[in-house]
Amino acid sequence: MAAVAVNGVKLGTTSQAYLESKPVSDTKVLISDLCRQFYNLGWVSGTGGSITIKVHDDSVPKPQQLVIMSPSGVQKERMLPEDMYVLSSNGSVLSSPSPKPYPHKPPKCSDCGPLFMKNVSKRQLISRGKRSRNLNYKAYELCNAGAVIHSHGIESCLVTMINPSSKEFRISHMEMIKGIKGHGYYDELVVPIIENTAYEYELTESLAKAIEAYPKATAVLVRNHGIYIWGDSWISAKTQAECYHYLFDAAIKLNQLGLDWSTPLHGPIHLGSGKQRNISAKAETLDSDNKSEPARRCIVLDIEGTTTPISFVTDVLFPYARDNVGRHLSATYDIEETQDDIKLLRVPGIVGAVPIPSDDAGKEAVIGALVANVESMIIADRKITALKQLQGHIWRTGFEKNELKGVVFDDVPEALMKWHDLGIKVYIYSSGSRLAQRLLFGYSNYGDLRKYLSGFFDTTVGNKRETRSYAEIAESVGVDRPSEVLFVTDVFQEAVAAKAAGLEVITINTFSEI
C-alpha cells in the first residue's frame, strides 16, 4: 500500500484521512463539473455514460492511484462531488455515496465500470457492481490510462450503423485527427468496433481483445451504443473525446452527401470502376458463401448511387426537368397525358405545394403555378408519384431529341450481361417513374440495356424505406422465398427495410452484407 503525506503525516491511500484529502476532493469536483459539460453535449443524457479519473498525486505511483467514478443511473447534470465512488487501484470500493430520499434511486457503481480493469479474478466478479468496475479498469491496466470517458453521444452510435458489418472506423486527412494521441493530419485514424451486449459488463472481454489488437487506439466503439475513450490524464481524455465526436459527425455528414470519409480526397463514394465497384463479382461471392442455399433467381437494383452516379441525377436530370417544365407544359398542355399529370399535381395534401388554379384561370396561370410547384419540389427532392411522372415525360422528350443520355457506371453493363447469361432476372426499383427508368437504360452511354432487364418498379409499390414495398416486389417477381431475391442499394435505410422483408441485401458503397 502506497504511503502519502497529509499535513506532514504519512498515511496509506486507503485511510479515511486520505479519502478526505484535497486530491480526492478535487477529483470529485472535477468529475461533477465534466458531467455537466458532457450532458450539454449530449454524451451522458438519460443517466447514460460515465467518467472515471485517477486521483493525481505525485507521491503515489500511477498504478496505485485511487480512481474516482461517477455513479450509474443518476442524472449526470445534477451530480455533486459527494455522489462519487472512490475505488482502490484493484477496483474495490473504498467509499460509497450515501442514499438520497425518494425519488432518487439507491447509489450504484457504474455499469460501465468493469470495462477498465484487467487484473480482476473471477472470484472478484461475484457481484454485478464488481463486474462493472472491471470494464473501466481494462483501459487503466492495459493502456496505463489516467482517465476514461464513456459517451452515449449520438454521433458515436450512428457512425457504427452506416456499415453494420464493419469492424473498424477509418478516417484520414481531417484536421481534428491531430487531436488524437499519436496521429497527424496525414495519418489514418483506426477505431475498432465491437458488438453491443445486453449488459455493459459483458463487454469486458471483447473490449480487452480490441485494446490488445489495436495498441495505437485510444478508443473503442460499441455498435449501436457509444464509445469508450481514454487518455493519460483527464485533459487528454476530454480533448480526444471532443475530437472523436467531431470526426464521427463529419463522417456522418460526408456520407449523407455521398462522399467517402475514409479516403484522403473525401470524393464521391462511387468511383465508377475498379476494385471499389464490381457488382457481379460481389453477387458471386455472396452465392459462393451460401452453396447450400438454392440459386438466386432475381436481383433488384437501385439506380441513384448504385447503377448511376448521384451527380447525373442531381446535376443533369433534375436541372433539365426544372429548366424545361414550362416549355414541355406549353407544348403538350392539351394532350391527355399532360392533363393527367396536372390532375395528379392538383391532389391536395402535397406539403409545400403552390395552389394550382382551375382551368378557368387560363393556360398561362395554370402553367405558372405548375412551374413554381415543380421547381420547389425538385429542389426539395420530393419523392412523390405526381412529380416523378411529370419528370419522366419531360425527360422522354430530352432523350428522344438526344439532349439527354443516360449514364451508368462502367461495371454495370458487364454485370447485367453476366446475370442475363446465367438466367438471373434483373429488375430496377427506383423512386423515379418506370418511364424514367426505361429511358435511362434505353438511352445509356452503353447503348440500350433494357434487353437485360426483366422489369421496373417505382414508388407505386411503396416507399423505398418501407418493408412492405420489398415484400410486394418479392411477390411480384414470383419467387418461392424472399431470400431468393438480392437487393443492391447504396442507402442503408433501404437495405434495412429490404432485409426485414427477407431479401438478401448488399449495400454497394461498402459492399457490406447485412
Side-chain angles (χ1 to χ4, degrees):
M1 179 177 67
V4 296
V6 176
N7 296 325
V9 180
K10 284 192 174 183
L11 300 168
T13 54
T14 59
S15 68
Q16 188 61 36
Y18 187 72
L19 296 180
E20 296 174 359
S21 67
K22 189 174 187 301
V24 174
S25 299
D26 288 349
T27 307
K28 290 181 176 181
V29 171
L30 174 62
I31 289 182
S32 61
D33 288 344
L34 290 175
C35 279
R36 281 190 289 274
Q37 293 181 38
F38 294 169
Y39 174 82
N40 291 328
L41 292 171
W43 297 358
V44 294
S45 57
T47 77
S50 71
I51 306 175
T52 63
I53 300 177
K54 280 198 169 184
V55 177
H56 177 71
D57 190 329
D58 291 332
S59 63
V60 181
K62 192 170 184 179
Q64 298 178 33
Q65 289 174 351
L66 303 186
V67 175
I68 310 300
M69 180 180 289
S70 60
S72 177
V74 302
Q75 304 293 319
K76 296 297 192 295
E77 78 280 13
R78 296 177 62 84
M79 287 196 311
L80 300 173
E82 55 265 30
D83 295 326
M84 307 301 162
Y85 279 85
V86 181
L87 311 178
S88 70
S89 58
N90 66 9
S92 60
V93 176
L94 301 178
S95 174
S96 302
S98 300
K100 293 183 177 181
Y102 181 85
H104 297 282
K105 294 181 178 180
K108 184 178 68 171
C109 210
S110 176
D111 278 353
C112 47
L115 288 172
F116 307 120
M117 186 170 179
K118 175 138 180 107
N119 59 345
V120 177
S121 68
K122 290 183 179 179
R123 288 186 179 180
Q124 289 174 296
L125 302 182
I126 295 174
S127 70
R128 178 175 171 181
K130 288 184 179 179
R131 285 178 296 188
S132 297
R133 293 189 295 280
N134 183 39
L135 205 60
N136 284 278
Y137 280 90
K138 286 288 184 182
Y140 283 119
E141 162 136 340
L142 296 176
C143 306
N144 194 30
V148 182
I149 296 170
H150 175 42
S151 166
H152 285 193
I154 188 65
E155 309 94 332
S156 61
C157 182
L158 292 179
V159 82
T160 67
M161 301 168 69
I162 295 175
N163 180 357
S165 65
S166 176
K167 302 301 181 184
E168 299 172 335
F169 168 82
R170 291 176 174 267
I171 194 168
S172 68
H173 288 69
M174 294 284 285
E175 180 68 14
M176 293 296 274
I177 292 176
K178 292 159 62 175
I180 306 301
K181 181 180 178 181
H183 290 78
Y185 174 78
Y186 295 104
D187 293 325
E188 182 179 44
L189 174 66
V190 182
V191 184
I193 302 173
I194 62 176
E195 299 304 319
N196 195 27
T197 57
Y199 300 101
E200 286 187 88
Y201 63 79
E202 296 174 342
L203 293 170
T204 305
E205 294 309 313
S206 57
L207 180 81
K209 289 178 181 178
I211 292 174
E212 291 168 348
Y214 295 82
K216 193 177 180 181
T218 57
V220 172
L221 283 160
V222 183
R223 198 181 314 280
N224 305 345
H225 181 148
I227 186 171
Y228 291 90
I229 303 159
W230 55 89
D232 56 13
S233 68
W234 71 268
I235 293 177
S236 173
K238 175 177 178 290
T239 300
Q240 292 183 98
E242 292 166 351
C243 292
Y244 278 119
H245 284 80
Y246 174 96
L247 293 168
F248 298 152
D249 186 48
I252 293 166
K253 290 175 179 175
L254 285 168
N255 186 72
Q256 291 171 334
L257 293 171
L259 302 177
D260 187 350
W261 75 73
S262 64
T263 61
L265 296 179
H266 306 306
I269 287 174
H270 298 288
L271 302 180
S273 62
K275 287 178 66 178
Q276 193 150 348
R277 286 189 51 91
N278 192 331
I279 301 177
S280 61
K282 182 59 181 179
E284 290 169 5
T285 300
L286 194 58
D287 281 332
S288 66
D289 291 340
N290 296 277
K291 291 182 179 178
S292 61
E293 296 295 323
R296 181 167 294 103
R297 295 177 56 188
C298 299
I299 294 176
V300 179
L301 301 174
D302 167 54
I303 290 182
E304 186 177 347
T306 301
T307 67
T308 298
I310 295 173
S311 58
F312 174 71
V313 178
T314 59
D315 299 342
V316 178
L317 289 182
F318 284 177
Y320 184 90
R322 184 185 64 241
D323 296 342
N324 289 278
V325 61
R327 183 181 72 172
H328 172 81
L329 291 172
S330 296
T332 63
Y333 186 80
D334 294 320
I335 69 173
E336 183 178 354
E337 181 181 80
T338 299
Q339 286 300 311
D340 287 341
D341 291 342
I342 294 172
K343 184 183 297 184
L344 273 177
L345 287 166
R346 275 199 177 112
V347 173
I350 299 178
V351 177
V354 176
I356 300 171
S358 65
D359 293 338
D360 296 338
K363 176 179 176 180
E364 297 304 318
V366 173
I367 290 177
L370 286 167
V371 170
N373 264 315
V374 171
E375 287 181 346
S376 63
M377 285 190 287
I378 288 176
I379 292 172
D381 192 19
R382 296 296 306 280
K383 310 289 188 183
I384 59 172
T385 302
L387 172 64
K388 298 302 180 181
Q389 179 173 299
L390 176 60
Q391 283 178 321
H393 295 151
I394 297 171
W395 291 331
R396 180 180 59 198
T397 301
F399 281 110
E400 290 175 346
K401 290 185 175 182
N402 207 31
E403 295 174 348
L404 289 173
K405 183 174 287 293
V407 176
V408 297
F409 288 119
D410 295 337
D411 60 344
V412 170
E414 179 184 355
L416 294 178
M417 287 186 283
K418 183 177 291 187
W419 291 329
H420 184 267
D421 292 343
L422 291 171
I424 298 173
K425 293 183 178 181
V426 181
Y427 297 84
I428 302 298
Y429 180 29
S430 172
S431 58
S433 68
R434 286 177 290 179
L435 170 60
Q437 297 173 35
R438 289 193 292 269
L439 290 169
L440 190 153
F441 288 97
Y443 294 86
S444 85
N445 52 332
Y446 282 90
D448 190 348
L449 299 175
R450 290 174 296 182
K451 57 182 174 286
Y452 303 118
L453 301 173
S454 299
F456 303 87
F457 295 97
D458 60 15
T459 51
T460 56
V461 302
N463 187 289
K464 293 187 70 182
R465 299 187 179 191
E466 294 180 358
T467 299
R468 62 182 179 181
S469 305
Y470 299 92
E472 177 68 26
I473 289 174
E475 288 189 19
S476 299
V477 299
V479 295
D480 294 327
R481 292 186 294 273
S483 59
E484 295 177 40
V485 180
L486 171 67
F487 177 56
V488 185
T489 182
D490 68 317
V491 179
F492 175 67
Q493 293 89 340
E494 295 175 4
V496 170
K499 191 68 174 180
L503 280 66
E504 292 290 337
V505 174
I506 290 176
T507 51
I508 198 69
N509 57 332
T510 55
F511 294 127
S512 61
E513 299 152 33
I514 70 172

